[in-house]
Each structure stands twice: as structure tokens, then as C-alpha cells.
Amino acid sequence: MEKLVKLGQDMILLWDNYGAAYLSGIVNTVILAVVATVIGCIIGLACGILNTIPYSPQDHAAKRTLLKVVRAIVRIYVEVFRGTPMVLQAVFIYYGLPYFTDGRVAFSGNSGIWLASIIVVSINTGAYMAESVRGGIISIDPGQTEGAMAIGMTHVQTMTNVILPQAIRNIIPQIGNNLIINIKDTSVMFIISFTEFFAWHRYIVGVNNMYFPSAAIEMIGYLTMTLIASFLLRLVEKLMDGSDSYELVQTDPLTMTAGTYNYPDRGTPFDERSKEYRERTKESLKNRNGSTRGER
Amino acid sequence: MGEMILEVRHLSKTFGSNQVLRDIDFTVDKGDVISIIGASGSGKSTLLRCINLLETPTSGEILYHGQNVAGRGINPSAYRSRVGMVFQSFNLFNNMTVLENCMVGQIKVLKKNRDAARRSAMDYLEKVGMAPYINAKPRQISGGQKQRVAIARALAMDPEVLLFDEPTSALDPEMVGEVLTVMQALATEGMTMLVVTHEMAFARDVSTHVVYMNQGVICEEGTPAEVFGNPQRQETKDFLSRFRNA
């Protein structure tokens, strides 16, 4: 109990001295995570769509070759960035650019660090999202595509009006996953001296050695951010699903009880009045507009 | 004879080594209601899907007003918008309401404005008795209602021919009636229809022409009276006798 009180006092002490620093770290973390998730989703969407363009042996050879090359490139991108640690990718890109250009082009200054961080996290998110989007698209019933094709929609129209709205709805949980992962994993960007939430922890404990109280503040901070993120994403999902109920404008005249359907020209065993009506229907069916096949 | 809309010539379709359709020839005239009957696996649905180019025919021609639409390098979208299709599994767009389902094709494909699209969508939904449900999502209505909406969606494109691929096979018996009623009304109005069906009563009473398919070929065809009343081939007799006793 004593220890908890002590921890509380230490945390308050830290917050009094470095509150502004922690808050600016939180702000940077959130901005980086949100921006990179959005860009990453756009990259993932583009890759996922490119990967699911159908082609058949009937298509032009050039189109088939192009699609195969595009798929190969996307595949390499996904495998490379999914298969290496983000912290290494950050070093690789941040120091690689000046290395290859002999220092003429570099991520210089604060804006350079921001740019490099956003690029690294976006590309990473994009690699994961590419697979999620592909999964989202192929999980949609092929009947949806056929329905759209049957009313004359082109592939692009089918995608934008029918498939993608449903696929995106299905991958929203995956986008949420990525946002939360990004909020946490942007912490590795301290390696290129990006001052997010965790970087401030490293700086502050370097000054006063209060490792545990600062870590406690960090834990609470990250958990708060991720909880708010999950809550907001649930809200988005709910809004996308729309209302569960609908209003009837009037009653449905065609629904009937089992077994009550009758063919007008034969009637049911129960109605005697319909003999004349049946004859009339038969005549009208026979003399329909333009059809003469019945008499042939 | 009415004006010829579709002519299928020597149509064949193979899936791998399995030949599903062999040398199919037939024509569809304006105002025809053609029922295609036959056992499961006889190629009825594949024939319909080939006509709508959802399957690419292996060989043969499909002439639409004299122009072959089955060849290479032909954009099928424009043709498909003139030939409506109603599926066994409805295939309504799950992300749209009933009304939007009937409007989207008019807006995106026929380039109508929203008001005009809405008006004609409402007309057709009224016709199939689904006007009360315009704000419902497909998952909220029954199978028979879904199929009626699917018919309205196809009609809203103002097609020249409507293809029905076993429209009542996925429905509970009590819902079959409401869909058949709508189809019968369409037939009475002179809509050109091509119906793959297991509803023998519909084939006999509503259609102007019946095609019996067996193992990928057209085994027998004629008026309902000819095919049902006096079948010539033994296969047709065997097939029909199963329904007669039912």
C-alpha cells in the first residue's frame, strides 16, 4: 500500500515537471499513427485492388503480362516489408537515402524526421493492409459480381459500387487492428529521433532515473489512446451498418400463405366461380402482343 | 413470327474435359416465353449463363439482332444491359437498400438522373409488390421478396429479354407462388422471357415454347401442348413421367 502511495506521488511529481512533454509526445504519436494508417490503407487498397483484377485467356496478351508483372511487384513489396522489423526499415530508409545520394538528398531537420517516420509506418501498414484488402475482396460472394455484371456494369463500376463498399466494411476491424498496432509500434521511431510518447520516456528517465513511475505513466497513456481508438472504430462500424429496422410504407399484397397459390387458368380445387375467368386468362395468354409461337 | 432478338448457333461449352453444351441451336423471338426444362446437370443454367456471357462459350455464335456478341474483343457490358438476368440466389447488392438496388444500374449504366431512376424503380417495385419495402436491406426481407426485387432490378434496366435462372429453386414452397405470379404477369404483358425452371406447371401453362434439354443437347422442343401432351422422344417421356406422378 505504501508503495502504491509512493508510486502515485512519484507519478504526480513527474507529471508536474514533464506533463507538457508527455502530452506533446502523445500528440505526435497520435498524429503519426493516424496519418500513417490512413496512407497505409490507401496503399493497401490500391495493392489489394490491383491484385484482384481478373484476367482470362481471352484477354489481350499485353494486358495479361502487365497484370502478372504488377502482381509480382505487389507480392515482393508485401513480403519484404512484412518480413523485416519496422525499426530496421526506419534506419534503412533514413540513413540509406543520404548514403546513396552522397548526402545531397537527406531527411534533414524535424520535418525530415516526420517525413521519414510517416513513410516507414505507412509503407509497413500498406503491406499488411494489401493482404487484408485482398482477403476482403475475395470474401465477397461471386454472386454480387455476377449480379452487377448482369445489369451491364463494367469491372470498375462493379468494384466501386458493389464490391468495395462491402469489402471495406468487412476490413474495418483489420483497419482498427492496424491503427492500434501503429499507436504502439510508432514507439520504435525513437531510433531516428522522432519525439513521440515513448521517446519522451527515454529522455525523462535519462534525466532523473525514475524508470518505474514514468513507465506507469506510459502504460496508462498508451492504454487510453488504444481504448479510445477501439471505441471510435466500433462507432464507425455501427454507422456503416445503418439502421437495423426499416419502415413499411404499406402492406405487401403478394405474400400468401402456403398452398394458396393457383394458376389462373386452372384454378384451385376450391373455387367454382373461376371457370369463365380461367377461359379469359387462357385467351389473353394466347393473344399476347407479338407472340405467335403458341399457334405454330 | 415476331422479330428475332437472339439466335444461338452451334453453341458449345466445355469445362476442362467435361462437355456441358453440345452444338446448341435455337432462336428467341420478340414476345416469346421459352421454358427450358431438364434434369439437373443437363446444361440448362450453363446455356443461360452463356447467353448472358457470364460464361464464355467454347465455340459457336450468339447473335443479338444479327450481331455476334460471343466473339473476342467485344465489350459485353452494353449487351448485358439489354439482356436482364434473374438468378437462383437473387444476388441483390447487400450494401444497398431495395430501392437503391433498382436504381444503381439505371444511374451508372444507363446514365439516367436520380429522379428519373427513382421514378421508374418505384414503378417496377410497385409492379412486383415490393414498394412497401424500399428502405429495407436485402438481409431484412424474405427469399420470395428478394427474388421479386431482383426481378424489379432487372426490369428497371428496360431489357429486351429477361433470363430467369431457376428463379424459384432456392425458395420455400410458400414463396414460390408470389414469384411465379409476378412472372406470369410479365408474360401476359408480352415480355420476352427465357426461363430455366423445374416448375412444370409454369412451363406448361405460361410459356409459348418449351425446350427439353438432356446431357448438353436440346432433346426436344415445341409448344407446351406438343412437348407435354405428345412427347416424341423416350428421354422426354421418362423425364415428364416423373413429374406427372408427383
Side-chain angles (χ1 to χ4, degrees):
Chain A
M1 197 62 208
E2 246 168 74
K3 288 285 172 198
L4 281 181
V5 175
K6 176 84 169 61
L7 175 63
Q9 286 168 346
D10 284 343
M11 282 167 70
I12 290 168
L13 184 70
L14 271 179
W15 189 261
D16 279 344
N17 285 318
Y18 299 104
Y22 281 123
L23 278 179
S24 81
I26 287 184
V27 169
N28 283 356
T29 294
V30 169
I31 294 176
L32 176 59
V34 170
V35 170
T37 307
V38 169
I39 299 177
C41 285
I42 295 169
I43 296 174
L45 210 56
C47 291
I49 293 170
L50 286 174
N51 253 346
T52 47
I53 297 175
Y55 60 84
S56 62
Q58 271 83 28
D59 284 324
H60 205 272
K63 183 184 169 189
R64 273 181 294 155
T65 318
L66 184 69
L67 281 173
K68 275 181 192 161
V69 170
V70 166
R71 277 179 200 199
I73 292 172
V74 170
R75 186 76 194 272
I76 291 169
Y77 158 64
V78 169
E79 295 299 342
V80 167
F81 282 89
R82 217 171 43 168
T84 51
M86 191 158 78
V87 61
L88 256 181
Q89 293 165 17
V91 174
F92 206 70
I93 289 177
Y94 186 72
Y95 296 105
L97 189 63
Y99 186 90
F100 272 101
T101 56
D102 287 326
R104 278 191 303 275
V105 189
F107 295 105
S108 58
N110 196 32
S111 57
I113 292 172
W114 267 100
L115 186 64
S117 302
I118 289 176
I119 289 175
V120 171
V121 184
S122 304
I123 288 181
N124 232 279
T125 312
Y128 281 95
M129 284 306 296
E131 287 298 283
S132 301
V133 172
R134 195 171 72 87
I137 291 174
I138 57 181
S139 74
I140 303 298
D141 173 17
Q144 297 284 310
T145 310
E146 289 187 352
M149 294 285 188
I151 57 173
M153 284 195 195
T154 60
H155 176 70
V156 175
Q157 285 172 331
T158 305
M159 271 312 218
T160 53
N161 294 297
V162 179
I163 306 300
L164 283 181
Q166 296 181 48
I168 287 173
R169 164 65 189 86
N170 288 349
I171 59 173
I172 290 263
Q174 205 49 48
I175 294 176
N177 255 349
N178 274 302
L179 178 59
I180 285 170
I181 288 172
N182 281 345
I183 288 175
K184 296 184 300 174
D185 285 6
T186 44
S187 58
V188 301
M189 287 300 140
F190 75 83
I191 202 87
I192 55 171
S193 46
F194 182 82
T195 49
E196 41 67 54
F197 196 29
F198 183 67
W200 278 112
H201 163 80
R202 287 168 57 85
Y203 170 76
I204 291 165
V205 299
V207 175
N208 55 25
N209 262 347
M210 292 169 78
Y211 279 92
F212 186 64
S214 178
I217 291 178
E218 295 277 318
M219 289 288 270
I220 294 169
Y222 274 114
L223 200 56
T224 311
M225 285 191 273
T226 52
L227 284 178
I228 293 174
S230 346
F231 172 77
L232 289 177
L233 282 153
R234 282 286 157 85
L235 207 66
V236 170
E237 270 182 51
K238 247 193 180 151
L239 287 177
M240 280 186 90
D241 283 344
S243 166
D244 272 343
S245 56
Y246 58 91
E247 273 177 30
L248 279 187
V249 188
Q250 51 189 263
T251 50
D252 177 5
L254 272 189
T255 330
M256 357 179 152
T257 329
T260 56
Y261 178 73
N262 61 80
Y263 292 94
D265 54 342
R266 280 180 305 142
T268 66
F270 308 109
D271 61 354
E272 273 312 308
R273 61 143 186 110
S274 61
K275 188 123 197 162
E276 190 190 337
Y277 169 70
R278 268 182 267 155
E279 291 307 317
R280 229 180 326 143
T281 318
K282 233 179 211 164
E283 273 318 292
S284 72
L285 276 175
K286 217 180 276 170
N287 301 331
R288 289 168 327 118
N289 249 353
S291 165
T292 49
R293 244 202 174 127
E295 277 77 47
R296 226 171 21 190
Chain B
M1 278 258 317
E3 181 196 355
M4 188 190 291
I5 296 176
L6 275 172
E7 182 177 5
V8 175
R9 274 193 203 157
H10 307 300
L11 183 75
S12 294
K13 173 73 186 174
T14 51
F15 291 110
S17 60
N18 180 17
Q19 186 154 26
V20 183
L21 294 176
R22 285 168 234 237
D23 203 24
I24 301 278
D25 281 288
F26 78 105
T27 60
V28 182
D29 291 348
K30 192 169 169 52
D32 277 354
V33 177
I34 302 179
S35 291
I36 305 174
I37 58 173
S40 295
S42 58
K44 313 182 295 290
S45 290
T46 307
L47 172 59
L48 215 58
R49 293 169 60 83
C50 279
I51 290 176
N52 206 8
L53 304 182
L54 286 175
E55 303 287 352
T56 314
T58 310
S59 65
E61 292 180 329
I62 296 167
L63 302 178
Y64 172 68
H65 288 297
Q67 196 203 353
N68 185 18
V69 290
R72 254 168 181 250
I74 284 177
N75 176 10
S77 296
Y79 162 69
R80 285 201 191 110
S81 70
R82 304 294 306 132
V83 180
M85 177 107 170
V86 175
F87 298 87
Q88 181 175 359
S89 50
F90 326 126
N91 296 351
L92 292 180
F93 306 134
N94 295 326
N95 56 323
M96 303 177 196
T97 63
V98 163
L99 181 62
E100 286 163 347
N101 259 285
C102 299
M103 286 169 62
V104 64
Q106 300 183 65
I107 294 170
K108 301 290 173 187
V109 179
L110 303 181
K111 310 287 179 203
K112 283 197 203 172
N113 67 42
R114 281 194 77 83
D115 283 343
R118 191 191 156 88
R119 242 175 291 130
S120 84
M122 283 307 295
D123 279 353
Y124 289 113
L125 284 169
E126 192 94 43
K127 188 177 220 161
V128 300
M130 284 304 290
Y133 293 88
I134 50 173
N135 297 321
K137 286 278 179 72
R139 65 176 192 286
Q140 294 164 326
I141 57 180
S142 75
Q145 292 174 328
K146 280 184 204 172
Q147 197 59 296
R148 278 145 60 193
V149 174
I151 293 173
R153 176 177 73 179
L155 286 173
M157 299 300 290
D158 194 20
E160 229 174 322
V161 191
L162 259 189
L163 313 177
F164 292 82
D165 186 6
E166 304 197 24
T168 57
S169 298
L171 298 176
D172 288 340
E174 60 189 284
M175 295 172 184
V176 170
E178 63 194 63
V179 172
L180 289 182
T181 308
V182 167
M183 289 170 64
Q184 181 159 12
L186 288 177
T188 317
E189 284 167 22
M191 184 78 209
T192 311
M193 293 158 63
L194 206 55
V195 186
V196 168
T197 186
H198 291 292
E199 293 287 329
M200 291 305 138
F202 180 89
R204 182 183 54 200
D205 298 337
V206 180
S207 50
T208 56
H209 199 74
V210 177
V211 172
Y212 170 65
M213 283 185 70
N214 188 30
Q215 296 183 339
V217 295
I218 292 180
C219 185
E220 186 160 350
E221 61 178 314
T223 63
E226 286 164 8
V227 175
F228 286 98
N230 185 23
Q232 301 299 309
R233 304 277 296 258
Q234 191 54 44
E235 295 96 320
T236 320
K237 286 177 192 165
D238 292 346
F239 176 76
L240 290 174
S241 69
R242 269 183 273 152
F243 286 92
R244 203 152 287 149
N245 299 332

